[in-house]
Amino acid sequence: MDDRPGNVTTMICMQIYARVFSHLARINDRPNKAIARAADCTEAYISMIRKGERLPTLETTRALDLSINGHGCLFEVRRLIEQLQEEITTSGRNVKSRPTASGKEQGPVKRRDLLQDGVKVTAGATVAPVLAALTQAWQISEPKLPGASVSQAMIDDWEDAALFYGQRARQEPPAAILEVLAVEFSSIAPHLAREQPEEVRKGLTHAAARHAMLIGGKLLDLGDRRESRRWWFKTRALSDESGDDMLASWVRSREALYRIGDRSDDLSAVLAVAQEARRLAGDRPSAPLASALGAEAMILARMGRIDGAIIALRQAETAFERMPSSSVLDRNWAQREEGLWFDKSLIYTLAGDVKRATEAQDTLISGQGFEDKLSSTSARLHRAAVEARSDPKTGMEEAMRIIDDIPPQQRRTRYLTAARMVLEVAPEKAWALPVAKELRELTAGA
């Protein structure tokens, strides 16, 4: 049986455990060093727990609970997680013999249901009550803000969750991330539907916009264009309601960057989104401004407007070099340098500038401190496109190998679009090659 549900649920459980642990440690003023000493473990291990990267055993949790004065709360959360894991194991045994739904049956309708009803996690119906109990128990324990249905800790937690899942989205299969986002957004949605004090409403919509943006991106990664459009509209509306122009700019840039990877999209409409992001970011150097300019540059390059693309790219580089790193949004965009190398790889590949394209691709493929496989894989496909200009057969064969090596659940729309670019830049006479036909068929859904 596909073990993805277990992985998804473990991801959720680690994040919930991290939230409860961090919350109890914070309200009881217990720093990592003191906790580590009392629980007989290392500070590094405590740090990994806080980041949602480790799920301690029941025995270790008992010691941690004592060390942070949790009064049994942390231990109870871990016990519920243990129960959840047992439920999954039992559920897995019961469904092993069931026929697997076809790809068509597992398509947009299933994902749409998942987003409309967050309890429909692939791990099975038995998982939902325990996950709901874990989340609800924590939320109920938090004192609500005056006149609101949420606490400040809940809003902060959703902000932290958006950052956490945004980072994991660069590593995990899109469907897996979409599932946990469905659970998260379903816990936010009831509060969005209620009247809240103005400042609470702004904080709530700020966190919700970041989740909605990730949902729109993952839907597009999975090829569900129609549903992703709905979530882009939702993202823009929520970010505008938050009153944070930097967030409103940032989510529009992300939308534009995702939509560049959709060959069926209207690039003029996508360019308008990027230009709106640029307007909202203002003139002050910042990560959102650098991102908006980078998105605009890539769109112009895809439209064949290379001179304009290079001008926008240089403006993005200048904004990046001059931007401060003090704001929360800028910290969230710590990987913007990597993004600029990606922009260069795409733009100079389309411009036919082999030297600059190769430099960018070498930087992304070699790592240089970057951890994003999305960028390195795309850079390899860009390199295949550079090769296809002079040696079409070799370039196309390399693109085929790259796509074949990507597990099916990881084949994002942007990969297929990058592979399709290999065909687009190759000489027209090469389109009749057998490998060109194979590559065309492989990327037909891009």
Side-chain angles (χ1 to χ4, degrees):
M1 187 183 70
D2 181 3
D3 66 354
R4 188 190 66 187
N7 293 335
V8 172
T9 308
T10 298
M11 191 193 311
I12 298 172
C13 290
M14 287 194 298
Q15 179 66 357
I16 292 174
Y17 188 98
R19 296 176 193 178
V20 176
F21 179 86
S22 297
H23 175 65
L24 291 171
R26 183 169 59 251
I27 64 174
N28 291 314
D29 194 24
R30 300 291 288 168
N32 286 5
K33 187 174 182 178
I35 297 171
R37 188 186 306 115
D40 193 25
C41 56
T42 66
E43 286 186 62
Y45 185 70
I46 299 300
S47 179
M48 287 189 285
I49 293 173
R50 284 182 180 272
K51 293 176 183 177
E53 296 174 354
R54 289 292 184 275
L55 186 60
T57 63
L58 280 169
E59 182 179 353
T60 301
T61 294
R62 195 184 299 277
L64 290 170
D65 193 283
L66 289 171
S67 71
I68 59 177
N69 301 321
H71 302 291
C73 180
L74 185 65
F75 183 80
E76 178 62 15
V77 167
R78 186 63 183 89
R79 187 191 65 77
L80 284 170
I81 289 173
E82 191 84 358
Q83 177 187 336
L84 170 60
Q85 291 170 328
E86 291 176 4
E87 293 277 6
I88 292 172
T89 301
T90 302
S91 175
R93 293 196 193 101
N94 291 339
V95 300
K96 271 187 177 181
S97 60
R98 295 179 189 174
T100 303
S102 69
K104 184 176 181 180
E105 291 168 336
Q106 292 179 339
V109 173
K110 177 182 175 184
R111 291 195 293 276
R112 195 169 301 126
D113 288 344
L114 181 66
L115 289 166
Q116 291 170 350
D117 184 358
V119 303
K120 294 182 181 178
V121 184
T122 306
T126 57
V127 172
V130 183
L131 288 177
L134 287 169
T135 303
Q136 188 177 31
W138 179 77
Q139 291 182 351
I140 289 174
S141 70
E142 289 296 316
K144 305 300 183 288
L145 291 165
S149 63
V150 296
S151 66
Q152 186 59 51
M154 289 164 66
I155 294 174
D156 292 343
D157 177 62
W158 283 320
E159 289 281 1
D160 290 342
L163 177 58
F164 175 81
Y165 293 127
Q167 293 168 339
R168 294 299 291 263
R170 302 163 74 86
Q171 306 165 20
E172 304 286 345
I177 293 297
L178 187 60
E179 286 165 1
V180 294
L181 288 170
V183 174
E184 290 288 353
F185 200 88
S186 68
S187 70
I188 301 175
H191 303 288
L192 289 171
R194 298 173 186 169
E195 288 190 14
Q196 308 286 356
E198 183 179 358
E199 289 306 308
V200 175
R201 183 77 186 177
K202 287 181 178 179
L204 188 61
T205 52
H206 192 283
R210 295 176 65 190
H211 283 79
M213 182 273 295
L214 290 169
I215 289 170
K218 294 306 103 181
L219 283 165
L220 189 55
D221 277 341
L222 292 167
D224 194 339
R225 296 171 173 86
R226 183 169 182 270
E227 193 67 15
S228 70
R229 298 288 174 85
R230 294 180 180 179
W231 284 88
W232 295 133
F233 291 140
K234 170 70 75 174
T235 300
R236 287 184 231 156
L238 289 168
S239 66
D240 291 346
E241 192 174 354
S242 77
D244 185 341
D245 284 346
M246 291 296 100
L247 175 70
S249 171
W250 175 59
V251 298
R252 283 168 170 81
S253 292
R254 296 305 299 165
E255 174 187 345
L257 289 167
Y258 269 105
R259 290 174 63 184
I260 291 169
D262 180 3
R263 289 180 61 257
S264 68
D265 214 329
D266 178 359
L267 287 176
S268 296
V270 182
L271 179 61
V273 172
Q275 290 172 334
E276 177 68 4
R278 180 178 181 176
R279 184 190 67 78
L280 287 164
D283 297 326
R284 175 180 170 271
S286 64
L289 178 58
S291 179
L293 288 163
E296 186 175 334
M298 288 201 289
I299 298 164
L300 289 170
R302 293 290 301 180
M303 296 173 78
R305 295 163 60 179
I306 301 300
D307 290 344
I310 292 174
I311 290 171
L313 175 61
R314 288 172 179 164
Q315 291 174 330
E317 292 178 285
T318 300
F320 173 77
E321 291 166 359
R322 296 179 179 176
M323 76 180 191
S325 58
S326 55
S327 73
V328 172
L329 207 54
D330 282 349
R331 287 200 301 272
N332 190 39
W333 274 90
Q335 67 267 58
R336 187 56 213 157
E337 181 181 4
E338 181 178 358
L340 277 173
W341 283 112
F342 179 84
D343 300 346
K344 294 176 187 178
S345 176
L346 175 67
I347 291 164
Y348 289 128
T349 295
L350 291 173
D353 189 331
V354 176
K355 182 179 178 181
R356 287 191 173 92
T358 301
E359 179 190 10
Q361 291 151 16
D362 285 345
T363 302
L364 292 168
I365 294 169
S366 64
Q368 300 281 324
F370 305 141
E371 298 180 358
D372 189 3
K373 291 183 179 178
L374 294 176
S375 295
S376 62
T377 301
S378 296
R380 289 171 58 213
L381 288 164
H382 295 167
R383 174 160 290 177
V386 171
E387 181 74 18
R389 287 183 181 275
S390 57
D391 188 347
K393 185 172 182 291
T394 299
M396 293 176 191
E397 288 174 342
E398 178 60 16
M400 289 288 294
R401 278 193 294 270
I402 293 169
I403 297 297
D404 284 340
D405 287 343
I406 301 172
Q409 68 272 21
Q410 291 277 25
R411 290 182 188 174
R412 293 162 166 81
T413 301
R414 71 184 78 178
Y415 288 155
L416 299 180
T417 298
R420 188 81 177 190
M421 190 170 71
V422 178
L423 285 169
E424 294 169 354
V425 302
E428 187 174 350
K429 62 182 180 181
W431 295 353
L433 292 171
V435 67
K437 180 181 179 181
E438 292 177 27
L439 186 56
R440 194 175 297 110
E441 291 174 352
L442 182 64
T443 60

